[in-house]
Amino acid sequence: MTLASSLGLLASWPYEQETANWILQAQGQDLGNLLAVAVLVLSAIGLRGGSFLAERVWIGTLAYPLYAYVVYAFAVHFGRLFLVYVAVLGLVFYTLIAARPALNPRPRNDRGRARFAAWVLIGTGALFGVLWLSEVIPATITGQAPSSLEVAGLIVNPIHVLDLSVVLPGMILIGVLALRGDGKGLSLVVPALVFSVLMGLSIIAAMVLIVAAGDPSGLPPMVMVAVVVGTSLAAIVALERRSPDARREAAGPELRQQYKDA
């Protein structure tokens, strides 16, 4: 990820066949990727130390490159980084498969504490769902592709595909399950919020680049996404605040042993 994103930011050839708009969006994603690498390493260190929070941050951070590299692999013209994109996508996919069964269940008595975080996920999923559908449905009715596709030089927007089919329904489902006190839903709240924060920061980076290039249309989505990122961070802090933190410390050796066995 570090190699591909650094080259995407510093070299001209990785995106030489893309439109100006899609280059800026890809470079915004590259900035988000470098941040994700740092979070991934730090959370992995905390995970080996037995931290419950680090475990959930690690899972959520892994979900971010899974999403990002599906976009790179399918929506960036074939080039010298193609196999790097595919390799990252495969590594992340199988790491998530291996890690998911070891994800520690969250106590059901966390249901009340998770209420705000659950509503943040539901609200985020609904907000972006309405936003994307407001672009896709009129285009579907008229039979004319959305103008954003022409600007980006795409035949279809992979972000619409991933968000409307998997990500946004998943956020809403996790939020609903958490509100019901379901253990799986409660366990996935923080990973989903971490994914939302990292993805939001990469969108903000892309919008900053677009605005800096002289296109003010990036300002409204940048402000909207900044609100989502801030709210998601607040939800993580509210959910993970513990006093005292003895339960997590006591569980540390058991968590370390689980990952050693895996």
Side-chain angles (χ1 to χ4, degrees):
M1 285 175 64
T2 302
L3 171 67
S5 294
S6 297
L7 288 172
L9 290 167
L10 300 175
S12 60
W13 53 264
Y15 307 131
E16 61 186 354
Q17 300 182 67
E18 313 304 330
T19 66
N21 178 271
W22 197 235
I23 290 173
L24 294 175
Q25 291 194 51
Q27 290 180 330
Q29 189 77 65
D30 286 329
L31 290 170
N33 293 346
L34 294 177
L35 173 62
V37 168
V39 176
L40 193 62
V41 171
L42 291 174
S43 59
I45 294 171
L47 173 61
R48 288 181 61 83
S51 167
F52 271 46
L53 175 58
E55 175 194 36
R56 283 158 170 74
V57 171
W58 185 70
I59 293 289
T61 306
L62 279 172
Y64 168 87
L66 181 66
Y67 179 106
Y69 279 86
V70 168
V71 176
Y72 281 112
F74 286 99
V76 172
H77 284 79
F78 182 87
R80 283 172 282 180
L81 290 178
F82 175 74
L83 289 179
V84 177
Y85 299 155
V86 173
V88 173
L89 182 59
L91 286 168
V92 171
F93 177 76
Y94 284 108
T95 301
L96 280 169
I97 289 178
R100 179 62 187 92
L103 182 62
N104 281 272
R106 194 172 200 107
R108 289 182 178 271
N109 59 12
D110 273 359
R111 176 182 178 183
R113 188 188 295 271
R115 187 174 299 276
F116 173 61
W119 278 113
V120 169
L121 285 175
I122 293 171
T124 300
L127 174 65
F128 280 94
V130 169
L131 183 64
W132 295 157
L133 289 174
S134 67
E135 181 179 7
V136 172
I137 290 177
T140 303
I141 293 173
T142 62
Q144 299 293 323
S147 59
S148 60
L149 292 183
E150 182 179 353
V151 173
L154 301 171
I155 59 172
V156 68
N157 192 333
I159 296 170
H160 288 165
V161 177
L162 292 171
D163 283 2
L164 291 173
S165 63
V166 178
V167 175
L168 303 181
M171 285 184 172
I172 294 172
L173 179 60
I174 291 170
V176 170
L177 290 174
L179 288 175
R180 294 179 177 179
D182 180 87
K184 292 181 180 178
L186 290 169
S187 296
L188 290 172
V189 167
V190 170
L193 288 170
V194 169
F195 169 85
S196 179
V197 168
L198 291 172
M199 188 55 62
L201 290 173
S202 72
I203 294 172
I204 290 172
M207 294 302 103
V208 169
L209 293 176
I210 289 172
V211 171
D215 184 357
S217 66
L219 280 173
M222 182 171 62
V223 173
M224 182 187 72
V225 174
V227 171
V228 171
V229 168
T231 306
S232 299
L233 283 171
I236 294 172
V237 172
L239 180 57
E240 292 300 322
R241 185 180 294 124
R242 288 290 186 272
S243 181
D245 203 24
R247 179 176 67 83
R248 293 182 183 224
E249 293 176 3
E254 180 182 351
L255 180 59
R256 287 195 296 271
Q257 186 61 44
Q258 286 183 16
Y259 278 91
K260 183 182 293 185
D261 294 341

